[in-house]
């Protein structure tokens, strides 16, 4: 058997990757700290504009927007699997009964299989941590002492990583039942979500959804015909860039916001033996690659007659137990996935109770606009031209999904923005 930890670390790096779509795309690996704690730095992006100043002033101070640096006591992940003499005396999986191999010849093979199984379990845990950040803004971590306690979900120490202050502001609630929406209504909801992120200084590029959401959307004939099918760029991402368990449904242009649609349908077996989804059913999230990262803290354990520390993402270890005539394969990791901007994404669930009358986040208020075939009925050019108050133009603009207008603009400029927006939306309807 290979016993040196540094050799095992090099070996585990060469093993085949696990499906970690959320981890690799949105929280890729970052630093490994030579410490029991990991440093995370988060900051709101914001959209402040630089002011003009008179030359003698020299400059105007702009306040920093929401910067935080925290030292996190990294969670401890340490699964293990035993290797017993009886196990080595039996033929391995796929081995011919006539192979004549000895237990000593099977040692390295069994050790590598156990090490790979444990490595995969650690990777699934990190993937689930990334999912929990996206869907809830925090990771609830139950630290157990025994496998029996973990299976029964008892006797644990609860810790949490929380990435919001007063409340989780990244949850979006649709105004109607998603399954009952017409194609235009779905597209308008998607546009509103993109605008909310745009106001925060975030440009969402990915629409990640579970298979049940994907089926409702991609089987909607009106939705596909809305883009005239040719407008939905299917298969434009190389298959080698998409891991198993993830499907790219193509790209769509939502009023200038280009989104790549992904269907993500991975699951895992929990400690109680129940199979669960990594992304809860009904989830639809607006994300962008590299919205955060995953950092790691070092692992320290007894090795020989002293303690040894290793600053690596995953650290395998082999412990011999002569008294019990067995060996243990152990794998350690101390990951901390975190977002750079704790308001840098939006997530919704189609099974949430719709909020009638008002839109999520107070961004889009109903103003009595009539809808036909899922899209707003726009005012005519004459009706818009007859408006005499900026506030009326801005209120109407927000009711049809156009945001970002300001009373600092001229009245004619506001009207022109609204007319241009209406023309774009009508062109989309007509395609």
């Amino acid at each position: 058997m290979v016993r040196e930890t540094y050799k095992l670390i090099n070996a585990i790096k060469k093993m085949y990757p696990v499906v970690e779509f959320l981890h690799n795309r949105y929280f890729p690996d970052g630093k490994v700290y030579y410490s029991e704690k990991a440093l995370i730095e988060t900051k709101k992006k914001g959209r402040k504009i630089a002011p003009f100043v008179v030359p003698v002033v020299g400059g105007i101070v702009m306040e920093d927007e929401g910067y935080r640096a925290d030292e996190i006591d990294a969670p401890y992940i340490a699964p293990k699997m035993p290797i017993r003499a009886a196990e080595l005396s039996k033929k391995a999986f796929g081995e011919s009964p006539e192979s004549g191999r000895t237990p000593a010849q099977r040692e390295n093979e069994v050790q590598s299989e156990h090490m790979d199984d444990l490595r995969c379990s650690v990777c699934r845990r990190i993937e689930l941590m990334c999912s929990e950040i996206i869907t809830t803004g925090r990771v609830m971590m139950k630290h157990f002492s025994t496998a029996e306690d973990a299976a029964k979900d008892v006797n644990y120490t609860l810790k949490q990583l929380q990435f919001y202050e007063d409340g989780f502001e990244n949850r979006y609630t649709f105004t109607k039942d998603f399954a009952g929406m017409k194609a235009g209504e779905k597209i308008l909801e998607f546009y509103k979500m993109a605008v909310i992120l745009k106001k925060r200084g975030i440009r969402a590029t990915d629409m990640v959804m579970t298979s049940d959401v994907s089926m409702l959307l991609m089987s909607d004939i009106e939705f596909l015909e809305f883009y005239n099918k040719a407008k939905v760029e299917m298969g434009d991402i190389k298959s080698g860039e998409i891991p198993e368990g993830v499907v790219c449904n193509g790209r769509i242009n939502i009023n200038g916001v280009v989104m790549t649609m992904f269907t993500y349908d991975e699951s895992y077996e929990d400690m109680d033996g129940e199979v669960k989804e990594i992304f809860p059913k009904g989830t639809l999230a607006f994300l962008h690659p590299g919205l955060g990262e995953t950092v790691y803290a070092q692992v320290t354990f007894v090795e020989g007659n002293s303690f040894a520390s290793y600053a690596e993402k995953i650290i395998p270890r082999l412990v011999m137990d002569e008294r019990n005539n067995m060996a243990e394969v152990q794998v350690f990791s101390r990951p901390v996935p975190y977002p750079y901007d704790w308001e840098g994404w939006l997530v919704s669930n189609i099974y949430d109770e719709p909020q009638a009358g008002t839109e999520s986040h107070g961004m889009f208020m109903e103003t009595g606009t009539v809808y036909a075939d899922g899209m707003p009925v726009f005012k005519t050019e004459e009706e818009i031209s007859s408006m005499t108050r900026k506030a009326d133009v801005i209120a109407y603009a927000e009711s049809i999904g156009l945001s970002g207008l300001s009373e600092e603009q001229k009245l004619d400029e506001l009207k022109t923005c609204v007319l241009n927006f209406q023309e774009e939306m009508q062109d989309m309807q007509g395609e």
Side-chain angles (χ1 to χ4, degrees):
M1 289 187 178
V2 179
R3 303 186 184 184
E4 295 86 352
T5 300
Y6 74 93
K7 289 184 179 180
L8 295 175
I9 290 173
N10 290 330
I12 208 168
K13 289 179 180 178
K14 298 177 182 179
M15 292 182 173
Y16 290 110
V18 186
V19 176
E20 294 182 273
F21 178 67
L22 303 179
H23 176 197
N24 293 334
R25 187 171 179 84
Y26 305 110
F27 300 90
D29 287 339
K31 296 179 180 179
V32 182
Y33 291 96
Y34 287 87
S35 167
E36 301 300 309
K37 296 181 180 292
L39 176 66
I40 65 171
E41 296 178 291
T42 57
K43 188 182 189 302
K44 292 183 180 180
K45 277 199 172 181
R47 297 181 67 86
K48 284 187 177 180
I49 190 169
F52 292 105
V53 300
V54 295
V56 294
V57 172
I60 292 178
V61 175
M62 296 182 68
E63 293 184 2
D64 192 8
E65 293 188 84
Y67 171 77
R68 271 175 33 187
D70 299 290
E71 280 193 337
I72 302 296
D73 189 7
Y76 210 82
I77 303 174
K80 61 183 181 181
M81 295 180 73
I83 301 177
R84 298 182 176 86
E87 182 181 359
L88 298 177
S89 65
K90 300 176 182 178
K91 81 175 191 69
F93 178 78
E95 179 185 340
S96 170
E98 295 83 20
S99 66
R101 298 175 69 199
T102 65
Q105 292 172 325
R106 297 190 182 108
E107 286 180 1
N108 287 338
E109 184 176 334
V110 173
Q111 179 187 356
S112 63
E113 287 177 355
H114 286 359
M115 192 167 67
D116 190 42
D117 288 342
L118 295 175
R119 177 187 66 95
C120 290
S121 71
V122 170
C123 292
R124 292 189 196 98
R125 171 59 68 182
I126 298 173
E127 181 78 348
L128 183 60
M129 293 173 75
C130 296
S131 170
E132 291 172 347
I133 291 173
I134 292 171
T135 54
T136 67
R138 64 182 182 180
V139 181
M140 303 298 292
M141 301 174 295
K142 298 177 179 178
H143 290 70
F144 298 92
S145 298
T146 66
E148 291 76 16
D149 288 345
K152 297 177 182 178
D153 197 28
V154 297
N155 301 328
Y156 55 81
T157 300
L158 183 63
K159 297 182 180 180
Q160 72 174 25
L161 293 172
Q162 181 170 302
F163 301 104
Y164 57 84
E165 294 175 339
D166 299 328
F168 185 52
E169 297 293 333
N170 296 2
R171 190 84 174 187
Y172 182 90
T173 306
F174 296 122
T175 54
K176 293 179 62 177
D177 176 51
F178 188 84
M181 287 185 190
K182 294 182 179 180
E185 292 176 309
K186 294 173 183 174
I187 294 168
L188 190 58
E189 289 290 323
F190 296 157
Y191 180 68
K192 292 174 181 178
M193 293 176 70
V195 168
I196 290 171
L197 289 176
K198 187 177 179 181
K199 281 182 172 287
R200 299 177 181 177
I202 303 298
R203 181 178 176 272
T205 60
D206 294 357
M207 181 193 302
V208 183
M209 49 194 163
T210 49
S211 58
D212 52 339
V213 181
S214 177
M215 283 297 296
L216 286 174
L217 193 60
M218 303 311 294
S219 63
D220 187 338
I221 302 300
E222 289 185 0
F223 177 82
L224 296 178
E225 289 181 347
F226 186 86
Y227 288 97
N228 198 23
K229 296 181 181 177
K231 295 290 185 180
V232 183
E233 301 175 12
M234 305 299 291
D236 59 341
I237 291 186
K238 298 177 182 178
S239 59
E241 296 177 359
I242 301 179
E244 183 182 353
V246 183
V247 175
C248 178
N249 301 102
R251 286 182 176 144
I252 57 175
N253 188 322
I254 308 171
N255 194 37
V257 180
V258 179
M259 305 289 292
T260 303
M261 299 180 292
F262 294 100
T263 300
Y264 179 71
D265 199 26
E266 271 298 297
S267 58
Y268 67 98
E269 183 179 336
D270 209 346
M271 292 297 295
D272 58 6
E274 183 179 351
V275 176
K276 303 175 182 177
E277 291 80 16
I278 289 182
F279 245 15
K281 290 292 185 184
T283 297
L284 186 151
F286 273 32
L287 312 170
H288 59 93
L291 67 85
E293 71 173 336
T294 303
V295 295
Y296 298 80
Q298 74 178 13
V299 173
T300 302
F301 47 71
V302 174
E303 194 170 71
N305 297 321
S306 62
F307 285 91
S309 296
Y310 295 91
E312 296 285 347
K313 298 168 185 176
I314 297 179
I315 301 98
R317 182 191 187 199
L318 181 69
V319 178
M320 307 302 295
D321 186 351
E322 295 183 6
R323 179 178 297 179
N324 295 309
N325 196 30
M326 61 178 286
E328 269 189 354
V329 180
Q330 303 173 347
V331 169
F332 300 85
S333 186
R334 304 195 67 181
V336 182
Y338 72 96
Y340 294 131
D341 183 345
W342 59 88
E343 292 184 349
W345 72 96
L346 274 185
V347 63
S348 61
N349 194 291
I350 65 172
Y351 303 119
D352 286 346
E353 190 70 26
Q355 290 187 357
T358 59
E359 302 288 318
S360 298
H361 302 76
M363 299 289 291
F364 298 90
M365 303 299 295
E366 293 291 344
T367 57
T369 305
V370 181
Y371 284 76
D373 297 327
M375 296 297 288
V377 175
F378 300 117
K379 293 182 182 294
T380 64
E381 184 175 352
E382 290 75 17
E383 289 174 320
I384 295 173
S385 298
S386 65
M387 293 182 177
T388 58
R389 296 197 317 146
K390 295 181 180 180
D392 293 338
V393 179
I394 294 173
Y396 169 67
E398 292 182 346
S399 74
I400 61 174
L402 173 61
S403 61
L405 301 184
S406 168
E407 292 204 15
E408 295 180 1
Q409 296 174 264
K410 294 181 179 179
L411 182 61
D412 289 341
E413 291 179 354
L414 295 173
K415 293 178 181 179
T416 300
C417 290
V418 171
L419 289 171
N420 290 339
F421 177 78
Q422 286 192 167
E423 185 177 349
E424 291 177 3
M425 293 294 285
Q426 287 166 342
D427 289 342
M428 290 175 62
Q429 286 181 272
E431 290 180 352

